[in-house]
Amino acid sequence: MKKITSILAAAMCIVLAVSCGQKKSAEAQEVAPEKTQAEIYAEQEIMVHLDSLASELVKINPIGIVGSVKDGKVVLSDKEKQVKPDYLTDPAVVKDMQTLSQKYRAIAVMCIDKEIAGLYDMPTDSYTAALVKLYADVNDPALKNFSEGVEIKENLKAFYEESKEADRLPLFWEAVSAALVEQMYIAGKNSDKFIVAFDDQSATDFTWYVTLLTLGVEDLAKVNPEYAALNETLKPLTKIDAINVEMFKKQLDGMNEELAVSHDSLLR
C-alpha cells in the first residue's frame, strides 16, 4: 500500500510538471527552462513507476453502477419511474465550458447521468447533443470508450495508455475522479436499488480504488493549487473503508450531503 502510494505521489508530481510546462499564458508565451540531465533521468524513472501504478489500477473493477443499469440489473417499477430524479446535471452547462479539464469531467458526468435519465424513461437527447459537442472539442476516443463502455478495466487501461501517449495524463485522472464521484452521488440517492452493482469483493476493490485516487489527487494539490478544488471534491470518499456490501451501503448512506456538495463542484 505504501509503495503504491509513494509511486502515485511521485508520478503525479512529475506528470503535473510536464503538463504545466506545456501551458501558455493567454497574454504571453513563456519559454520553459531547459531540463537538466538529472531531471530528465528522474522523469523517465517516474514514468516507469507510473506504468506500474496503472497496471495496478486496471486490475480493479471499481464500480459497476452504469454497467448494472445497462445490463438490466437495476430495475425500476412503473411507479418508481414516476418519481423523476431532480439531481441530474443539466446538459446546458457544457455551453459555458472553456478548459479541457472541465470538458473531461463533464463527459464523465454526462455519460453517467444520461444512463440514469434513460433508466427513469426521461428524454436523453440533450445529453446526447452535449456529449457530441464535448467529444468533438476534446478529440479523445479513449475517453469516450471509458465513459460509455461497460468493460471498465479494459477501457481504463486503454484510456491511460492513450492519455500517456498524448501527454494528457492529468486529464485522465480528472475524468476518472469525476466518474467516481458522480457514480457514488447517484448511488447514494437510491442505495437500495443501486447496491446491486456491488458484492463483497467489489466493495473491497472499490475501497482500494478510492484510496489510490484520493491520495494521488491530494498530492497533486500540494504542488499545484489548480487541483485543490478536485482534492476537496474527493475528500468525502476518503471515509470509505468498506470490506463488504453491508459496510459500503452504511457508509454511502451516511455521506449523502457531502456527496451532493462534491457533485455540485465537479463542473465548476
Side-chain angles (χ1 to χ4, degrees):
M1 176 73 170
K2 292 183 178 179
K3 181 179 179 181
I4 292 295
T5 300
S6 63
I7 292 173
L8 181 58
M12 289 299 95
C13 291
I14 292 297
V15 171
L16 182 63
V18 174
S19 174
C20 291
Q22 293 175 339
K23 293 183 179 178
K24 297 179 181 179
S25 167
E27 298 179 354
Q29 296 182 0
E30 297 181 1
V31 177
E34 290 187 10
K35 299 176 184 177
T36 66
Q37 197 63 42
E39 289 173 331
I40 292 174
Y41 286 150
E43 181 178 316
Q44 291 173 342
E45 182 178 358
I46 291 300
M47 293 308 294
V48 172
H49 290 166
L50 189 57
D51 285 337
S52 297
L53 171 63
S55 71
E56 290 296 321
L57 281 177
V58 300
K59 294 176 184 177
I60 305 170
N61 195 19
I63 188 170
I65 289 177
V66 171
S68 294
V69 171
K70 291 182 176 180
D71 290 343
K73 294 179 182 178
V74 180
V75 179
L76 300 180
S77 67
D78 291 339
K79 183 178 180 180
E80 288 172 321
K81 290 180 180 180
Q82 291 176 5
V83 184
K84 306 300 183 185
D86 58 0
Y87 47 81
L88 302 181
T89 304
D90 184 352
V93 301
V94 305
K95 70 179 185 300
D96 298 321
M97 293 182 175
Q98 301 296 322
T99 68
L100 278 176
S101 293
Q102 288 177 317
K103 292 174 181 179
Y104 267 63
R105 283 182 265 124
I107 286 172
V109 170
M110 292 296 157
C111 283
I112 294 166
D113 286 13
K114 177 182 176 181
E115 289 299 325
I116 303 305
L119 178 66
Y120 281 86
D121 291 339
M122 297 167 62
T124 59
D125 289 349
S126 58
Y127 288 100
T128 300
L131 285 166
V132 168
K133 179 185 184 304
L134 290 169
Y135 287 139
D137 289 346
V138 305
N139 189 27
D140 191 340
L143 170 61
K144 181 177 181 179
N145 290 337
F146 166 73
S147 298
E148 296 191 356
V150 176
E151 299 298 329
I152 298 177
K153 289 196 295 185
E154 289 77 3
N155 292 330
L156 183 67
K157 180 178 180 180
F159 184 25
Y160 171 79
E161 291 176 348
E162 294 192 29
S163 296
K164 178 182 176 181
E165 184 176 346
D167 292 327
R168 288 187 174 188
L169 279 177
L171 295 170
F172 164 86
W173 293 105
E174 295 223 40
V176 172
S177 296
L180 177 70
V181 171
E182 188 67 4
Q183 292 199 67
M184 286 299 89
Y185 169 70
I186 296 295
K189 288 296 183 179
N190 193 350
S191 63
D192 289 336
K193 283 291 180 181
F194 291 114
I195 201 66
V196 299
F198 295 91
D199 55 22
D200 288 346
Q201 182 60 53
S202 61
T204 301
D205 289 345
F206 179 70
T207 295
W208 176 227
Y209 188 80
V210 168
T211 299
L212 291 173
L213 282 178
T214 54
L215 288 175
V217 174
E218 181 180 2
D219 285 326
L220 281 172
K222 290 177 182 177
V223 296
N224 190 319
E226 289 183 7
Y227 285 86
L230 184 59
N231 185 42
E232 287 299 315
T233 295
L234 287 175
K235 275 191 175 179
L237 298 181
T238 61
K239 298 178 180 180
I240 294 177
D241 59 0
I243 59 173
N244 55 50
V245 176
E246 183 180 359
M247 286 181 63
F248 177 69
K249 186 179 185 303
K250 183 177 180 180
Q251 292 173 2
L252 183 62
D253 290 340
M255 61 176 65
N256 275 329
E257 292 185 5
E258 293 173 287
L259 286 172
V261 174
S262 295
H263 161 79
D264 291 343
S265 67
L266 276 178
L267 302 184
R268 291 176 184 171

